[in-house]
Amino acid sequence: MIVVILVMLTGAASALMYALSRQWLDALLALIAAAALSVLLGDHTLPGQTRAHALIDPEGPPADLGDVRSIGVKGDGMRAARWRDLPARPLTWQAPKDATLTLDFPRRIARGSLFRLTATRPGASGWRMQLLAENGLLLAESNGKGATQALAWTPPAAERMVLKARVLDAKGQVIEQGPVPLLVVEPPALRVTGRFSAPSFDLHALHTLLADSGALLDWQVELGSGIIRGQLPRTPFAQADLVVMDGPWLAAHPELAGSGAALLVIGAPPDDAQTVEAGPLALEREGRKAWLAQGDWHRMAIGDPRAHSLWWQEIFDRLDVRQGDGVEWVDTEALPLPHDRLEVCARGASGNALFPQLRQSIAWQARSDRADALCVAVWPAKTGWLEAQSGPATHQVYVYANTDWPSWQAALRRAATAAYAARTPGLAQARARPLPAWPFAAVFGAALLLLWWRERRL
Amino acid sequence: QAQDALAAQSLKAALAPQQRALAALIQLQQAARVARYRSAAANEGTARVALGSADGGLERRAQGEWAGAMPPGLRALMAALDHPGPLPAAWKADAHAWIGARLPGEAQRLAAQRAVQDVDDGCGSCRAVLRAWLRAGVATGVPTGALALHGSPAIDTRFARAWRQGGAQ
């Protein structure tokens, strides 16, 4: 700015000196030269323009689309991580009609719980899905009916593994196969206090189920007057996660009820209890206390152990039995790929997220599209497991190869493209262009040359 | 005679029958303890129970682990097979014993033993295969289809805190 003012002052002074000596043409030339140079040095722009249409290349989307009024894309479109970087614009896109595959499964489960894999092939029939171990051993198979099929398997050990899933057609030919990563974690042991005034087969079945689940049991059953059969936990605990007792014991020891743990009373609820009835379990409106008015579950334990444990798991879930504390990792990305943005989210995390393989430590950030979880974004470098840590909690995310599950990738791209097309389009921002410099440089040069020529001629 | 012994303050001679009864009681208690220990050792892996009185005379006993739990050596081997590093000492013996005891069928046992040999020869990609065979052995050791019961993790987030405070007001 100061330079521009100096140029204008110098030009005005030169013009004044020429004018005093009545060289009107030279004064004019000096004024023109000063004006051209000041325009050249000033930071001037032209009013902006917008582009009408741009075709997006899914492999390398442009970094900036601010001045484009509408965009188009061919094929399956782009992944959600790439669409999210672009401003919303009206999209012209024809969704391909060929078959896709969608898989749905948990990436992380606790040891001893059921792993369910659901596959969807819209419009297809007579196909089935197989889950295989790394050694080719068949672990589970779907029933082969309908467009959506599910299979279930119980991982026996706490480890991380990359299983294989196969989609077969009616003749048993492999249509598609790919990796199914699964992280099985060992949860902290459930701490249960049990107090009962009489033994029963039901209590024995519950005790066996809890002991087989690896729970820490502080269990006492009164056999007769003054004789208690009991068991102390292998490591003593002060605060239980769950207290189970029967009605007579609760009546005799009401002080055990208010310990802060979830409380399950076996027996019918008293008449004055304010409960929410749904099925055999009567939940108290305030607090985590429930009455279980159904017995005879030991028959189910003998006849169908899986249904028995699932029944108890549902009761635990409704009672909100909490076990351990820390961080719950949220998998937001269905199919992470290398060199693509990966969002890692967690509930209950604080401080920094650490990625040892990438040598990155990033502060957890709240996101407007997630109510409760904190997220960080990383760009994984290669295919395989990516470790994440937050304080003492650890997690592993499997990064697929670009060639894995092509039709699932196509389905994800189509869904992401459709979601982008449904966004409310924003207006194109006219982008200001810089003023071209060369005409002013030419005018300035010509004026000075002319002045120099006239000075020399005199 | 007993009164004489009492006067002479020699307790052993004074209460001879009682002394004998006491010795027998002590022996009986020891025998019961040994018998209980032996029966508990026979049922290794299942939950043990102890009898006690209402005033809390329970003994602290080892509690049974999960039915599918692996021996510690094998668990260390499974963890080591996850990474391309050195394996624990005597891993081959552990693996062969586990394969022989747990895998059904000659074909599976042979394939698993081949995987052990491959890993021993330094094949990196065969480690996952061996791990799958060892895992299959765990699965055959679990008799019923029962699942393990779990609670949900207790998670403290800003949202949960605000929800609780709103409920308290």
Side-chain angles (χ1 to χ4, degrees):
Chain A
M1 197 64 212
I2 296 168
V3 179
V4 173
I5 291 170
L6 278 177
V7 163
M8 285 164 84
L9 284 178
T10 314
S14 313
L16 197 65
M17 284 166 74
Y18 279 124
L20 286 180
S21 56
R22 296 186 179 269
Q23 294 171 320
W24 301 111
L25 206 60
D26 295 292
L28 188 67
L29 278 174
L31 276 180
I32 288 172
L37 188 61
S38 58
V39 169
L40 191 66
L41 292 175
D43 194 15
H44 299 285
T45 53
L46 286 176
Q49 283 182 343
T50 55
R51 283 185 282 159
H53 191 79
L55 195 65
I56 306 270
D57 173 19
E59 295 309 316
D64 188 10
L65 275 179
D67 58 337
V68 175
R69 283 199 293 273
S70 73
I71 58 174
V73 72
K74 289 204 170 105
D76 296 318
M78 288 195 295
R79 294 162 51 74
R82 292 191 173 170
W83 279 124
R84 222 171 296 150
D85 290 338
L86 298 182
R89 294 283 178 270
L91 178 70
T92 44
W93 172 61
Q94 188 69 44
K97 290 279 184 281
D98 51 338
T100 58
L101 169 73
T102 307
L103 297 181
D104 186 22
F105 56 94
R107 309 307 193 267
R108 178 192 173 103
I109 61 172
R111 198 262 307 141
S113 45
L114 208 60
F115 171 74
R116 281 179 219 270
L117 171 67
T118 310
T120 309
R121 297 183 71 218
S125 63
W127 60 286
R128 66 206 153 92
M129 185 100 191
Q130 283 183 339
L131 184 68
L132 299 116
E134 295 96 321
N135 56 359
L137 208 64
L138 182 67
L139 299 175
E141 190 165 8
S142 68
N143 59 7
K145 292 195 193 86
T148 298
Q149 296 181 16
L151 54 83
W153 175 63
T154 316
E159 54 177 335
R160 65 175 194 192
M161 50 193 146
V162 183
L163 305 171
K164 195 157 72 171
R166 272 205 306 223
V167 181
L168 306 173
D169 64 8
K171 292 177 198 140
Q173 297 288 312
V174 177
I175 302 173
E176 193 163 350
Q177 61 180 3
V180 174
L182 175 61
L183 179 65
V184 185
V185 294
E186 186 75 48
L190 192 66
R191 299 167 298 182
V192 185
T193 302
R195 294 285 183 274
F196 307 98
S197 59
S200 72
F201 288 121
D202 280 347
L203 292 184
H204 181 71
L206 177 60
H207 178 271
T208 309
L209 181 60
L210 285 170
D212 284 350
S213 306
L216 295 175
L217 293 173
D218 177 3
W219 200 263
Q220 291 184 18
V221 183
E222 199 167 335
L223 300 180
S225 61
I227 301 178
I228 286 178
R229 187 180 61 199
Q231 183 181 32
L232 291 170
R234 56 180 182 270
T235 45
F237 56 81
Q239 169 73 45
D241 300 318
L242 170 69
V243 178
V244 190
M245 53 176 62
D246 56 10
W249 192 290
L250 180 63
H253 306 272
E255 76 279 359
L256 282 173
S259 66
L263 174 65
L264 179 66
V265 185
I266 291 168
D271 296 333
D272 57 341
Q274 294 209 329
T275 57
V276 186
E277 291 280 350
L281 192 73
L283 271 172
E284 197 177 56
R285 212 179 294 270
E286 301 283 328
R288 292 148 67 212
K289 182 176 176 185
W291 284 269
L292 182 65
Q294 186 185 344
D296 262 3
W297 63 77
H298 70 275
R299 291 177 199 280
M300 185 162 55
I302 296 164
D304 190 351
R306 173 156 298 180
H308 176 239
S309 44
L310 285 173
W311 185 70
W312 272 109
Q313 185 64 55
E314 196 194 328
I315 288 176
F316 275 33
D317 289 345
R318 285 192 53 204
L319 195 55
D320 191 15
V321 176
R322 296 191 198 127
Q323 168 185 18
D325 51 2
V327 172
E328 185 183 11
W329 299 86
V330 185
D331 281 308
T332 55
E333 197 76 44
L335 206 148
L337 289 179
H339 309 298
D340 219 343
R341 184 174 51 198
L342 167 66
E343 205 177 31
V344 179
C345 295
R347 295 176 60 228
S350 60
N352 276 24
L354 186 67
F355 295 89
Q357 289 152 332
L358 303 173
R359 300 203 179 112
Q360 278 186 314
S361 176
I362 313 164
W364 288 109
Q365 291 173 346
R367 296 281 157 95
S368 58
D369 54 345
R370 308 216 166 264
D372 213 8
L374 301 172
C375 297
V376 294
V378 289
W379 277 260
K382 58 179 171 44
T383 302
W385 291 101
L386 177 71
E387 283 175 43
Q389 298 172 359
S390 173
T394 59
H395 186 48
Q396 315 238 7
V397 183
Y398 185 78
V399 181
Y400 293 76
N402 281 317
T403 50
D404 286 340
W405 295 113
S407 52
W408 186 19
Q409 286 200 33
L412 289 173
R413 281 167 194 252
R414 283 177 207 177
T417 308
Y420 176 84
R423 277 168 68 175
T424 306
L427 288 175
Q429 295 288 324
R431 195 185 322 168
R433 289 170 301 151
L435 197 67
W438 63 267
F440 298 95
V443 166
F444 172 68
L448 277 195
L449 272 177
L450 217 62
L451 263 180
W452 172 72
W453 178 67
R454 281 173 65 86
E455 288 278 349
R456 220 177 55 136
R457 202 186 49 168
L458 286 178
Chain B
Q1 203 180 4
Q3 276 187 353
D4 285 350
L6 254 184
Q9 295 193 336
S10 66
L11 266 173
K12 224 168 190 171
L15 300 168
Q18 287 86 342
Q19 287 289 342
R20 276 201 297 279
L22 193 62
L25 259 177
I26 289 171
Q27 244 180 3
L28 186 71
Q29 274 183 347
Q30 277 175 348
R33 218 172 287 152
V34 167
R36 218 183 300 161
Y37 177 76
R38 282 199 183 138
S39 67
N43 299 334
E44 194 72 57
T46 60
R48 298 174 200 166
V49 293
L51 277 172
S53 56
D55 53 1
L58 290 174
E59 293 173 44
R60 190 165 302 279
R61 287 283 182 106
Q63 207 171 61
E65 279 211 323
W66 171 59
M70 283 180 283
L74 206 75
R75 204 173 303 170
L77 174 59
M78 291 275 275
L81 282 172
D82 195 19
H83 304 282
L87 297 174
W91 69 271
K92 275 173 80 179
D94 281 350
H96 278 302
W98 180 261
I99 288 164
R102 289 297 189 95
L103 284 187
E106 199 60 33
Q108 287 200 7
R109 278 201 287 273
L110 275 176
Q113 277 155 6
R114 212 162 36 236
V116 172
Q117 193 56 47
D118 285 345
V119 172
D120 196 30
D121 292 344
C123 165
S125 58
C126 309
R127 291 187 166 215
V129 176
L130 177 58
R131 215 147 49 90
W133 283 119
L134 299 178
R135 190 190 310 135
V138 182
T140 56
V142 184
T144 64
L147 306 169
L149 293 181
H150 299 294
S152 50
I155 287 176
D156 192 35
T157 62
R158 270 169 56 198
F159 187 81
R161 274 199 297 277
W163 181 268
R164 278 199 301 274
Q165 279 167 8
Q169 274 164 14

